[in-house]
Amino acid sequence: MRPIRRPIRAVLFDWGGTLMREVGGLDGPIAEWPPIEAIPGAKETLRALHDHYALAVATNARLSDESHVRKALARAELDRYFALVVTARDLGVAKPDPAFFRSALDRLGFAPGEAVMIGDSYEVDIVGAKAAGLRAIWFNPAGVRCPTVHPGHDAEIQAIDEIPAVLERRWLPDIAVALKILRTHEVPPNIVRHSLTVAAVAHHFAVRLREQKIAVEPVLVHRSGLLHDLDKLSSERPAEHGMKAGRVLRALGQPALAGIAERHVLGAVPVTWEEKLVHYADKIVEDDRVAGLTERLNSLAQRYPAEADRVSQALPFLLGLEKEILSKLPAPRGAIMAELRRLDLSLPSFVIAGDPACDSSRERRDGR
């Protein structure tokens, strides 16, 4: 598999709550609304993007057509930055219907893989864009929790002026691509299910830590959890586990994922929060369920008798790591573990719709 490189050429913006301040209780065309106010930093961000990307407004406005939206943009001195404006009224279809995004891109002249949607509504902007094959950046200024433990968005921002830097970074694989990587390397279904659970647990911890003002990237944590066991069965010796995954991920142009995969194994010392969360999540998930350190380590010692001493020697470090992570959270350990066991591990609907193998894997896990 070649390195993951999908150059973005088009950027679509939602209107209310993303590009412009949300104004409730107003009827009629947008151009006639008394207040028209851009999100702070919008003009500077659009100016920075304008020479490098085709920009578009993609709004669910049902009472406004392109001319109404352009008049409103002109009032905010933003109209000149946009190559296209599409509304639900113009297209006859609304977000999150994938047809909305595909119609917008047809008019703009780009393929879904060349475009990114930026919006504040997870169900409308993010889920719809991903179902249509676009990249998606979740604009989440309030820092609310992601509605799913398997985040479908490709990046998350809390201020609009973060967009240029995000677009310049190397994209992480999305969930569908990560699962394809696992299949390409013949990772068996039971390890895929384990990896999905590790990803969900690690992501949940990342979100909870971020709520405590700790700097951590939940999407990076999740994708690392998905791919941490990429080499589980292909490594010739347990001691090699993690290193081969690191080489594969570096070859795919994913050094951040590679480093986390290399440091999730017993004996490795994770340094960043992303590394710590994947390392710890892997040590409390047995098969595809949250078991806890004791049960997980006992299982590893039984499964790999030659590594029993190494497993035993790792326990003090892992207890310290657990204490470090849980000490940052307001709830006691028992409540946190109970919370983890209640997580809905379902994959996003757009991933399942695009990959029937995901649905059958989920059914086997649920015992259906």
Side-chain angles (χ1 to χ4, degrees), residues 221-265:
V221 168
H222 181 269
R223 303 304 192 262
S224 300
L226 265 182
L227 294 168
H228 77 285
D229 269 349
L230 176 61
D231 64 344
K232 184 68 174 181
L233 294 186
S234 60
S235 299
E236 294 182 3
R237 300 191 306 273
E240 294 178 343
H241 178 42
M243 301 309 295
K244 183 175 180 180
R247 290 194 295 271
V248 170
L249 291 168
R250 282 194 172 83
L252 290 172
Q254 297 292 332
L257 297 180
I260 295 172
E262 291 165 350
R263 294 183 183 91
H264 90 276
V265 298

Side-chain angles (χ1 to χ4, degrees), residues 15 20 30-31 36 67-77:
W15 175 270
M20 311 296 284
I30 290 173
I36 295 290
S67 66
H68 294 130
V69 176
R70 284 206 176 274
K71 288 177 182 177
L73 287 169
R75 288 172 56 187
E77 300 181 343

Side-chain angles (χ1 to χ4, degrees), residues 6 20 62 78 123 130 149 174 225 227 231 237 257:
R6 295 181 182 177
M20 311 296 284
R62 297 180 183 275
L78 301 180
E123 290 300 324
K130 293 304 296 182
V149 295
D174 63 17
L227 294 168
D231 64 344
R237 300 191 306 273
L257 297 180

Side-chain angles (χ1 to χ4, degrees), residues 41 50 62 76 85 91 164 169 182 190 195 208 218-219 240-241 243 250 286 294 301 305 315 323 344 350 359 362:
H50 179 253
R62 297 180 183 275
V85 171
L91 297 182
R169 292 190 326 201
L182 293 176
N190 65 307
S195 298
R208 293 292 303 273
V219 176
E240 294 178 343
H241 178 42
M243 301 309 295
R250 282 194 172 83
E286 174 61 17
T294 301
L315 180 58
K323 182 178 180 180
D344 180 358
F350 59 83
D359 200 31
R362 181 186 64 176

Side-chain angles (χ1 to χ4, degrees), residues 146-216:
C146 179
T148 171
V149 295
H150 292 298
H153 54 286
D154 297 284
E156 181 177 343
I157 59 173
Q158 293 187 293
I160 200 166
D161 59 9
E162 297 175 49
I163 294 172
V166 170
L167 293 177
E168 290 174 4
R169 292 190 326 201
R170 186 179 299 277
W171 292 102
L172 294 171
D174 63 17
I175 297 173
V177 171
L179 292 173
K180 183 178 180 180
I181 292 171
L182 293 176
R183 285 197 299 273
T184 298
H185 290 272
E186 300 181 339
V187 177
N190 65 307
I191 294 179
V192 173
R193 293 194 295 273
H194 168 76
S195 298
L196 283 165
T197 305
V198 168
V201 168
H203 174 261
H204 184 72
F205 273 121
V207 171
R208 293 292 303 273
L209 288 177
R210 196 181 60 178
E211 291 174 348
Q212 303 304 312
K213 309 303 181 184
I214 293 173
V216 61

